Amino acid sequence: MITVPYLTALTTYFSYGLLFAFGQLRDFFRRFIDWWKAGNLQGYAPICLGLEDFYIRRLYLRIQDCFGRPISSPPDAWFDVVERISYDNNKTLKRTTKTSRCLNLGSYNYLGFAAADEYCTPRVIECLKKYSASTCSTRVEGGTTALHCELEDVVANFVRKPAALVTGMGYVTNSAILPVLIAKGGLIISDSLNHNSIVNGARGSGATIRVFQHNTPSHLEKVLRELIADGQPRTHRPWKKIIVVVEGIYSMEGELCELPEIVSICKKYKAYVYLDEAHSIGAIGKTGRGVCELLGVDTADVDVMMGTFTKSFGSCGGYIAGSKELIQYLKYTCPAHIYATSISPPSAEQILSAIKVILGEDGSNRGAQKLAQIRENSNYFRSELQKMGFEVLGDNDSPVMPIMLYNPAKIPAFSRECLKQKVAVVTVAFPATPLLLARARICISAAHSREDMVKALTVISNVGDLVGIKYFPAESKMPQVEEARAKVE
């Protein structure tokens, strides 16, 4: 858990309080100025009202140039960011014809497959010619091709489960499948920092939902024991089903799941394990098979394995892997399979080709090299950031590394200053994170060279000094950075 320094918490709360007070004051005068417009809503409730609208107008719009930046090239190690201008104090942004070539530290392109690849790209182009861009149909109608069947077999073999089901969207894989797996009378125990797709899927299921402290197996066991003893609300009958939902790598923290301990506890209390490997599959493990391979967990002990193809594989969609009985049941009941358009054939071919490269089935060792490179890049970058004095979350081997910013004024300052120096970063704040815990989330790729790493570290260090986000003492000497910088020069 993150322990926020007292002074940092105090100044952050004060900053938000100041923004809230001035925003309310502006809204007070706005009601008098715009009173004549009220007739337009006569008989209707305001469609945008409340603190959400207030937050967008008074906080988000002031710094929206830091978010949703359009690009005009593949999301490789370097990409072209389209420049935007505003004539109304950031309320609206207009794209210009100018672009800026920037170092990409924001995309989930962990293995570098999002750009043109010597093996994947020609096969995707041939697939596009053969199948076209879309099946224009659901899987149960005319949307299943030989590629979809092959993909499900390859994914099941890759994650070492008996069967798999693929969907056209990663987010929907969680939000549409959880309500099919469990319903009223069931119990979902979710990590407190699980992704929004899991949260919405759990809410839509109708099951009772409880959370346990982030990545804390001891608290999970306590929650499980108490809830099993109490039973269902009011009736105290035994739960029909219990599912524990965790992530392999937590996308906003960069932390690896304490999977061995969690699996052991779930076995003890006869609870199912649902593992979301959106950020871990393909990116970690000796052969890219995710957190189970990295931590030595038998996939047979994980009942439901979920993942997406949008990160390591440079495509789109998601998958669910499990027993043959489970997958067959989902094919009959899952809305993402029955009602949604199937995954695009070229996207399916991209995934198949990427997996073949990872496994070395393309006749080269590029897959092993990519996996070694992403691990080396991630650990090097994290180590150097920590030496500089930044507060960096996450574990070694994780390609996701959040740098804590805290104060709302530092969110746009850090993002804009990095962009000025041709480094594109992603900043994240409330409501995606708790109010106090704003951060910049760095995503490292196997496509990044050591020269890219050094440039990024140099820029981030300079901006960190300027903005004041080095919350720990820096080491007096950083030999690795200095040595690498000398080689570049």
Side-chain angles (χ1 to χ4, degrees):
M1 301 300 290
I2 303 170
T3 302
V4 185
Y6 177 78
L7 182 60
T8 302
L10 186 65
T11 56
T12 302
Y13 273 130
F14 178 77
S15 298
Y16 276 112
L18 203 62
L19 287 168
F20 184 81
F22 275 95
Q24 290 290 350
L25 188 64
R26 289 173 65 92
D27 277 4
F28 176 77
F29 288 108
R30 180 188 181 192
R31 282 194 290 270
F32 287 98
I33 296 172
D34 295 345
W35 65 269
W36 55 275
K37 293 182 181 180
N40 296 336
L41 292 175
Q42 191 169 5
Y44 290 89
I47 197 167
C48 296
L49 187 66
L51 285 177
E52 293 84 0
D53 181 49
F54 174 85
Y55 179 84
I56 292 170
R57 288 184 291 104
R58 299 305 181 197
L59 281 80
Y60 174 78
L61 289 182
R62 297 178 183 277
I63 61 172
Q64 70 163 325
D65 60 295
C66 300
F67 307 101
R69 289 171 176 151
I71 64 174
S72 60
S73 67
D76 204 358
W78 289 78
F79 61 1
D80 296 324
V81 178
V82 178
E83 296 181 11
R84 296 176 294 176
I85 56 174
S86 176
Y87 300 104
D88 52 9
N89 296 317
N90 255 20
K91 288 182 181 178
T92 58
L93 295 169
K94 295 186 180 296
R95 294 188 300 274
T96 68
T97 57
K98 297 179 180 179
T99 60
S100 181
R101 190 71 175 169
C102 295
L103 179 60
N104 180 10
L105 296 182
S107 299
Y108 305 134
N109 183 26
Y110 296 145
L111 294 184
F113 284 117
D117 182 83
E118 61 187 72
Y119 183 82
C120 300
T121 305
R123 284 159 178 77
V124 172
I125 293 172
E126 286 302 313
C127 179
L128 178 63
K129 293 177 181 178
K130 180 178 180 179
Y131 289 102
S132 82
S134 173
T135 63
C136 298
S137 185
T138 67
R139 288 291 304 275
V140 297
E141 294 172 336
T144 297
T145 68
L147 277 177
H148 293 87
C149 298
E150 181 185 0
L151 178 60
E152 289 176 339
D153 291 339
V154 168
V155 168
N157 177 68
F158 184 67
V159 300
R160 292 172 175 159
K161 296 296 280 186
L165 172 72
V166 298
T167 64
M169 182 179 178
Y171 185 97
V172 168
T173 309
N174 278 328
S175 60
I177 283 178
L178 276 171
V180 177
L181 293 179
I182 193 168
K184 186 177 180 181
L187 172 64
I188 295 176
I189 302 181
S190 178
D191 188 287
S192 61
L193 295 182
N194 272 340
H195 191 264
N196 180 263
S197 60
I198 294 174
V199 173
N200 283 340
R203 288 173 177 171
S205 70
T208 300
I209 305 168
R210 296 291 184 270
V211 300
F212 66 96
Q213 291 174 6
H214 171 58
N215 221 12
T216 309
S218 59
H219 189 248
L220 168 63
E221 182 169 16
K222 179 183 177 183
V223 171
L224 262 172
R225 186 170 57 244
E226 291 177 353
L227 289 170
I228 290 174
D230 289 342
Q232 296 184 41
R234 294 198 303 270
T235 65
H236 300 290
R237 291 175 180 172
W239 300 100
K240 294 179 180 178
K241 190 187 301 181
I242 302 175
I243 298 179
V244 175
V245 187
V246 293
E247 296 184 35
I249 291 179
Y250 291 89
S251 58
M252 288 297 171
E253 287 69 39
E255 295 174 350
L256 297 172
C257 174
E258 299 286 347
L259 192 60
E261 294 84 352
I262 289 173
V263 166
S264 177
I265 291 168
C266 289
K267 278 185 174 182
K268 179 179 178 181
Y269 292 94
K270 303 297 185 279
Y272 293 109
V273 180
Y274 184 109
L275 175 63
D276 179 342
E277 287 217 81
H279 287 267
S280 54
I281 192 68
I284 59 175
K286 184 177 180 181
T287 59
R289 286 183 164 91
V291 71
C292 289
E293 182 178 55
L294 182 68
L295 300 180
V297 175
D298 188 348
T299 56
D301 293 331
V302 180
D303 303 284
V304 185
M305 298 182 69
M306 176 270 176
T308 65
F309 303 121
T310 53
K311 282 80 177 176
S312 298
F313 306 98
S315 187
C316 64
Y319 69 84
I320 285 285
S323 66
K324 290 183 178 179
E325 294 77 14
L326 170 65
I327 299 305
Q328 195 63 35
Y329 169 74
L330 291 176
K331 288 182 178 180
Y332 293 138
T333 57
C334 177
H337 182 78
I338 299 172
Y339 302 111
T341 301
S342 62
I343 189 171
S344 166
S347 298
E349 179 59 48
Q350 168 67 27
I351 302 160
L352 284 167
S353 300
I355 291 176
K356 289 177 183 177
V357 173
I358 292 171
L359 296 178
E361 295 177 4
D362 64 329
S364 74
N365 66 342
R366 290 196 306 122
Q369 290 175 350
K370 285 176 178 288
L371 290 167
Q373 190 66 48
I374 182 65
R375 182 167 57 251
E376 180 184 340
N377 284 354
S378 300
N379 292 338
Y380 167 75
F381 204 82
R382 182 184 303 278
S383 172
E384 295 303 320
L385 286 175
Q386 291 170 339
K387 290 176 183 177
M388 291 174 181
F390 292 101
E391 183 175 358
V392 185
L393 305 185
D395 297 315
N396 283 337
D397 288 353
S398 169
V400 181
M401 47 200 76
I403 301 173
M404 298 308 297
L405 303 177
Y406 296 115
N407 197 288
K410 295 180 180 181
I411 301 169
F414 183 80
S415 178
R416 289 165 181 165
E417 288 301 320
C418 284
L419 189 65
K420 285 179 183 178
Q421 300 184 49
K422 309 303 181 184
V423 174
V425 298
V426 170
T427 51
V428 189
F430 179 84
T433 66
L435 192 68
L436 284 180
L437 304 182
R439 63 199 68 178
R441 183 178 64 177
I442 306 298
C443 291
I444 297 300
S445 171
H448 288 133
S449 66
R450 182 53 61 98
E451 290 78 10
D452 295 336
M453 300 279 101
V454 172
K455 174 178 174 56
L457 288 166
T458 302
V459 170
I460 290 174
S461 178
N462 293 336
V463 174
D465 289 330
L466 179 66
V467 177
I469 56 171
K470 293 184 177 180
Y471 296 104
F472 298 108
E475 291 188 9
S476 56
K477 293 182 180 180
M478 294 178 289
Q480 293 186 41
V481 174
E482 295 300 329
E483 180 183 347
R485 191 178 294 161
K487 289 180 179 179
V488 173
E489 292 173 355

